[in-house]
Amino acid sequence: MHILDVELAALRNCPETGRVNATVTLRTDAGSMTIEATASDDRDGDRRGFIETLMQDVMRQIRFMPEVRSGQTRVTLAPDALDRAMQQA
């Protein structure tokens, strides 16, 4: 699965945890998928760091998918895949 584009939506703060929840849509060479991700609320800091933290949570969840866990599917990220997300955060 080659991730071509990443889009963020529905960013919302969780006052109990101090984290941000987001809906992350991945457009891939095989279609698209939507994953709920969470990251530290550090949007006032480095934007790219915030996006990368969200993507770490997304990738953590993807690694649990049977086809990825078994090694049948390899996940790669296009060099410009985070461009749209960088503009949205």
Side-chain angles (χ1 to χ4, degrees), residues 52-71:
E52 288 174 353
T53 302
L54 276 174
M55 285 303 295
Q56 286 173 1
D57 189 46
V58 167
M59 295 306 292
R60 177 190 63 79
Q61 294 179 56
I62 288 174
R63 282 192 293 274
F64 283 103
M65 294 177 174
E67 63 272 20
V68 176
R69 192 173 55 220
S70 70

Side-chain angles (χ1 to χ4, degrees), residues 4-6 77-84:
L4 303 169
D5 188 32
V6 176
L77 185 69
D80 61 347
L82 298 179
D83 288 354
R84 181 190 308 227

Side-chain angles (χ1 to χ4, degrees), residues 21-87:
N21 298 317
T23 302
V24 181
T25 301
L26 306 174
R27 295 195 195 331
T28 73
D29 58 344
S32 65
M33 68 172 59
T34 302
I35 297 176
E36 291 295 318
T38 183
S40 298
D41 188 2
D42 191 24
R43 287 180 288 171
D44 294 333
D46 177 35
R47 180 179 293 197
R48 183 154 191 99
F50 173 71
I51 302 287
E52 288 174 353
T53 302
L54 276 174
M55 285 303 295
Q56 286 173 1
D57 189 46
V58 167
M59 295 306 292
R60 177 190 63 79
Q61 294 179 56
I62 288 174
R63 282 192 293 274
F64 283 103
M65 294 177 174
E67 63 272 20
V68 176
R69 192 173 55 220
S70 70
Q72 267 182 331
T73 300
R74 192 173 148 212
V75 180
T76 57
L77 185 69
D80 61 347
L82 298 179
D83 288 354
R84 181 190 308 227
M86 288 292 295
Q87 295 171 2

